[in-house]
Amino acid sequence: MTDQATKLRQLVTDKEPDVSEALKEAASPIAPPTLSGAREDTRVIAITSGKGGVGKTNLTVNLAIALGQKGHRVLVIDADLGMANVDVVLGSMSRHHLLNLLEDDVELDDVLIQGPYGIHYISGGSGIEKAQDFSYEDRQKLMHKLSGCGKLADIILVDTGAGLGKNVMDFILAADEVYLVTTPEPTALTDAYAVMKAYSMYATNKNIKLVVNRVYDEQESNDVVTKLQQTSEKFLKMPIGCLGYIYEDRSVASAVRNQKPFLVSQPKSVAAKCVIAMADTVLYGGRMTVKKGWRGFLQQIFNFSRV
Ligand SMILES: Nc1ncnc2c1ncn2[C@@H]1O[C@H](COP(=O)(O)OP(=O)(O)OP(=O)(O)O)[C@@H](O)[C@H]1O
Ligand SMILES: [Mg+2]
């Protein structure tokens, strides 16, 4: 049986199948455009959150660098359109962005940026109006032009906007895997649950994992994960995995201020250690565990960012 995702995936394979049926479905209210491209083995991971500002972009960029350092070809797509988050965190500027692909004379090569630290990325643009929901024609064009991404990367990380907007949901539903970022704050948890609920209703192949950011210790992360897992199983009948956690660390804010990802500017910080360990979990599974150690202890007690 071919499901909607398979049909959409077929749209971007080398042999163009009869697309009329799949395209009709692509125009339906929640119709994910595929981002995987012609290669079936490229992993497409959407990094999302319910509440804004919980650390998606920093996770995306630094995880991309960590995976790159481990020898993988990674492409970051900034799908938080208009906010240019990835450019800011990377400290680079791009002339073209994702929405330029809607113009007839702009091709994938024009928007694909060889960013610093071995990262390829496609900017979400800045100063442009927040994208309207894509029309059927827009989707077709984007799908077609993005199909080449599959050949360029082993892993595609898509940094989405926060919340349940249609474009955010499209990206989440189109991805093979979803990393849902939250902090331990009750408001972030409630908003994370809203994303889980929408995902449980619309995703065909469910694969969602939690990342708990800004925790003070491992137990705090475990508590958040247990709470969300139990709620998900009880009310949504959906199992939800856990990718890991990142400690509260001033290195993150100072890296953003200096527009240099913390994995590069402060590779020994506890946040960097967590992301490096998380990259192993992304690649090989298993459970990450990072001790804060003396440096982390001092950072936390004295608010030092460069011990
Ligand atoms: N582990 C952390 N420790 C301390 N501060 C953090 C941590 N993670 C994120 N922050 C702070 O939160 C800010 C927002 O992070 P980021 O831009 O990655 O969030 P976001 O989810 O992408 O936001 P948006 O929803 O606006 O796109 C950072 O600039 C930093 O100041
Ligand atoms: Mg962001």
Side-chain angles (χ1 to χ4, degrees), residues 49 51-59 80 83 85 89 159-162 181 213-215 246-254 256-257 262 271:
S49 70
K51 188 170 187 278
V54 295
K56 295 177 293 296
T57 304
N58 275 280
L59 172 65
D80 192 0
M83 307 308 272
N85 278 203
V89 172
D159 179 16
T160 78
V181 185
N213 190 20
R214 309 194 70 160
V215 297
I246 304 173
Y247 289 114
E248 171 74 31
D249 184 349
R250 277 172 53 99
S251 314
V252 180
S254 79
V256 173
R257 270 199 300 278
F262 56 81

Coordinates of all heavy atoms in Angstrom, one line a residue, residues 49 51-59 80 83 85 89 159-162 181 213-215 246-254 256-257 262 271, ligand 1:
S49 N 9.3 23.2 18.0 CA 8.9 23.4 19.4 C 7.5 23.9 19.4 O 7.0 24.5 18.4 CB 9.8 24.3 20.1 OG 9.7 25.6 19.6
K51 N 6.5 26.2 22.1 CA 6.8 27.6 22.5 C 8.0 28.1 21.7 O 9.0 27.3 21.5 CB 7.1 27.6 24.0 CG 7.2 28.9 24.6 CD 7.2 28.7 26.2 CE 7.2 30.0 26.9 NZ 8.5 30.7 27.0
G52 N 8.0 29.4 21.4 CA 9.2 30.0 20.8 C 10.3 30.2 21.8 O 10.1 30.2 23.0
G53 N 11.5 30.3 21.2 CA 12.7 30.7 22.0 C 13.2 29.7 23.0 O 14.0 30.0 23.9
V54 N 12.9 28.4 22.7 CA 13.4 27.3 23.6 C 14.7 26.7 23.2 O 15.2 25.9 23.9 CB 12.3 26.2 23.8 CG1 11.1 26.7 24.4 CG2 12.0 25.6 22.4
G55 N 15.3 27.2 22.1 CA 16.6 26.7 21.7 C 16.7 25.9 20.4 O 17.7 25.2 20.2
K56 N 15.7 25.9 19.6 CA 15.7 25.1 18.3 C 16.9 25.5 17.4 O 17.6 24.6 16.9 CB 14.4 25.4 17.5 CG 13.2 24.9 18.1 CD 12.0 25.3 17.2 CE 11.8 26.8 17.0 NZ 11.4 27.5 18.3
T57 N 17.1 26.8 17.2 CA 18.1 27.2 16.2 C 19.5 26.8 16.7 O 20.3 26.3 15.9 CB 17.9 28.7 15.9 OG1 16.6 28.9 15.4 CG2 18.9 29.1 14.8
N58 N 19.7 27.1 18.0 CA 21.0 26.8 18.5 C 21.3 25.3 18.5 O 22.4 24.8 18.2 CB 21.2 27.3 19.9 CG 21.6 28.7 19.9 OD1 22.8 29.0 19.8 ND2 20.6 29.6 20.1
L59 N 20.2 24.5 18.8 CA 20.4 23.0 18.7 C 20.7 22.6 17.2 O 21.6 21.8 16.9 CB 19.1 22.3 19.2 CG 19.1 20.8 19.0 CD1 20.2 20.1 19.8 CD2 17.8 20.2 19.3
D80 N 12.2 28.6 9.4 CA 11.5 29.6 10.1 C 11.5 30.9 9.3 O 12.4 31.8 9.5 CB 12.2 29.8 11.5 CG 11.4 30.7 12.4 OD1 10.2 31.1 12.0 OD2 11.8 30.9 13.5
M83 N 12.8 35.0 9.6 CA 13.4 35.3 10.8 C 14.9 35.2 10.8 O 15.6 35.6 11.7 CB 12.9 34.4 12.0 CG 11.4 34.4 12.1 SD 10.6 36.0 12.2 CE 10.7 36.3 13.9
N85 N 17.1 33.1 11.5 CA 17.7 32.6 12.8 C 19.1 31.9 12.5 O 20.0 32.2 13.2 CB 16.8 31.6 13.4 CG 15.7 32.2 14.2 OD1 15.2 31.5 15.1 ND2 15.3 33.4 14.0
V89 N 22.8 32.9 14.1 CA 23.6 32.0 14.9 C 24.9 31.6 14.3 O 26.0 31.5 14.9 CB 22.8 30.7 15.3 CG1 23.6 29.7 16.1 CG2 21.6 31.2 16.2
D159 N 15.1 23.5 10.6 CA 14.8 24.3 11.8 C 13.5 25.0 11.5 O 13.4 25.9 10.6 CB 15.9 25.4 12.0 CG 15.7 26.3 13.1 OD1 14.8 26.0 14.0 OD2 16.3 27.3 13.2
T160 N 12.4 24.6 12.2 CA 11.1 25.1 11.8 C 10.8 26.3 12.8 O 11.5 26.5 13.8 CB 10.0 24.1 12.1 OG1 9.7 24.0 13.5 CG2 10.3 22.7 11.5
G161 N 9.7 27.0 12.5 CA 9.2 28.0 13.4 C 8.6 27.3 14.6 O 8.5 26.1 14.6
A162 N 8.2 28.1 15.6 CA 7.5 27.4 16.7 C 6.0 27.4 16.4 O 5.5 28.1 15.6 CB 7.8 28.3 18.0
V181 N 11.7 20.3 20.8 CA 12.5 20.9 21.9 C 11.6 21.6 22.9 O 10.6 22.2 22.5 CB 13.5 22.0 21.2 CG1 14.4 22.5 22.3 CG2 14.3 21.4 20.1
N213 N 15.8 21.2 26.9 CA 16.9 22.2 26.9 C 16.8 23.0 28.2 O 15.8 23.2 28.8 CB 16.7 23.2 25.7 CG 17.9 24.1 25.5 OD1 19.0 23.8 26.0 ND2 17.8 25.2 24.8
R214 N 18.0 23.6 28.6 CA 18.1 24.5 29.7 C 17.8 23.8 31.0 O 17.1 24.4 31.9 CB 17.2 25.7 29.5 CG 17.5 26.4 28.2 CD 16.9 27.8 28.1 NE 17.7 28.7 28.9 CZ 17.6 30.0 28.8 NH1 16.9 30.5 27.8 NH2 18.3 30.8 29.5
V215 N 18.3 22.5 31.2 CA 18.0 21.9 32.5 C 19.2 22.1 33.4 O 20.3 22.4 33.0 CB 17.8 20.3 32.3 CG1 16.6 20.0 31.5 CG2 19.1 19.7 31.7
I246 N 20.1 19.3 27.2 CA 21.2 20.3 27.2 C 21.1 21.1 28.5 O 20.0 21.6 28.9 CB 21.1 21.2 26.0 CG1 21.1 20.4 24.7 CG2 22.3 22.2 26.0 CD1 20.8 21.3 23.4
Y247 N 22.2 21.3 29.2 CA 22.2 22.0 30.4 C 22.0 23.5 30.1 O 22.4 24.0 29.1 CB 23.5 21.8 31.1 CG 23.7 20.5 31.7 CD1 24.7 19.6 31.3 CD2 22.9 20.1 32.8 CE1 24.9 18.3 31.8 CE2 23.1 18.8 33.3 CZ 24.1 17.9 32.9 OH 24.2 16.7 33.4
E248 N 21.5 24.2 31.1 CA 21.5 25.6 31.1 C 23.0 26.1 31.1 O 23.8 25.6 31.9 CB 20.8 26.1 32.4 CG 20.9 27.6 32.7 CD 20.0 28.4 31.8 OE1 19.0 27.9 31.3 OE2 20.4 29.6 31.5
D249 N 23.4 26.9 30.2 CA 24.8 27.3 30.1 C 24.9 28.6 29.4 O 24.4 28.9 28.3 CB 25.4 26.2 29.2 CG 26.9 26.4 29.0 OD1 27.4 27.5 29.4 OD2 27.6 25.5 28.5
R250 N 25.6 29.5 30.1 CA 25.7 30.9 29.6 C 26.5 31.0 28.3 O 26.5 31.9 27.6 CB 26.4 31.8 30.7 CG 25.3 32.3 31.7 CD 26.0 33.0 32.8 NE 26.9 34.0 32.4 CZ 26.7 35.3 32.4 NH1 25.5 35.7 32.8 NH2 27.6 36.2 32.0
S251 N 27.2 29.9 28.0 CA 28.0 29.9 26.8 C 27.1 30.0 25.6 O 27.5 30.6 24.5 CB 28.7 28.5 26.6 OG 29.4 28.2 27.8
V252 N 25.8 29.6 25.7 CA 24.9 29.6 24.6 C 24.6 31.1 24.2 O 24.7 31.5 23.1 CB 23.6 28.8 24.9 CG1 22.7 28.9 23.7 CG2 23.9 27.4 25.3
A253 N 24.2 31.8 25.3 CA 23.9 33.2 25.0 C 25.1 34.0 24.5 O 25.0 34.8 23.6 CB 23.3 33.8 26.3
S254 N 26.2 33.7 25.1 CA 27.4 34.5 24.7 C 27.8 34.1 23.3 O 28.2 35.0 22.5 CB 28.5 34.4 25.7 OG 29.2 33.2 25.5
V256 N 25.7 33.3 20.9 CA 24.7 33.9 20.0 C 25.1 35.4 19.9 O 25.1 36.0 18.8 CB 23.3 33.8 20.6 CG1 22.3 34.7 19.8 CG2 22.8 32.4 20.6
R257 N 25.5 36.0 21.0 CA 25.9 37.4 21.0 C 27.1 37.6 20.0 O 27.2 38.6 19.3 CB 26.3 38.0 22.3 CG 25.1 38.6 23.1 CD 25.5 39.5 24.2 NE 26.3 38.7 25.2 CZ 25.8 38.0 26.2 NH1 24.5 37.9 26.3 NH2 26.5 37.4 27.0
F262 N 28.3 27.8 19.7 CA 29.1 27.4 20.9 C 30.0 26.1 20.7 O 31.0 25.9 21.3 CB 28.2 27.3 22.1 CG 27.1 26.3 22.1 CD1 27.2 25.0 22.2 CD2 25.8 26.8 21.8 CE1 26.2 24.1 22.2 CE2 24.7 25.9 21.7 CZ 24.9 24.6 21.9
A271 N 27.2 22.8 27.4 CA 26.2 22.7 26.3 C 26.8 22.0 25.1 O 26.2 21.2 24.5 CB 25.8 24.1 25.9
Ligands
LIG1 N1 21.1 25.6 26.9 C1 20.9 27.0 27.1 N2 21.4 27.6 28.1 C2 21.3 28.9 28.2 N3 20.6 29.7 27.4 C3 20.1 29.1 26.3 C4 20.2 27.7 26.1 N4 19.5 27.4 24.9 C5 19.0 28.6 24.4 N5 19.3 29.6 25.3 C6 18.9 31.0 25.1 O1 17.7 31.1 24.4 C7 17.9 31.9 23.3 C8 17.0 31.4 22.1 O2 17.5 30.3 21.5 P1 17.2 29.9 20.0 O3 17.2 31.1 19.1 O4 18.0 28.7 19.6 O5 15.6 29.5 20.2 P2 14.5 29.1 19.1 O6 13.7 28.1 19.7 O7 15.2 28.9 17.8 O8 13.7 30.5 19.1 P3 12.6 30.9 18.0 O9 11.4 30.2 18.4 O10 12.5 32.4 18.2 O11 13.2 30.6 16.6 C9 19.4 31.9 23.0 O12 19.8 33.0 22.3 C10 20.0 31.8 24.3 O13 20.1 33.1 24.9

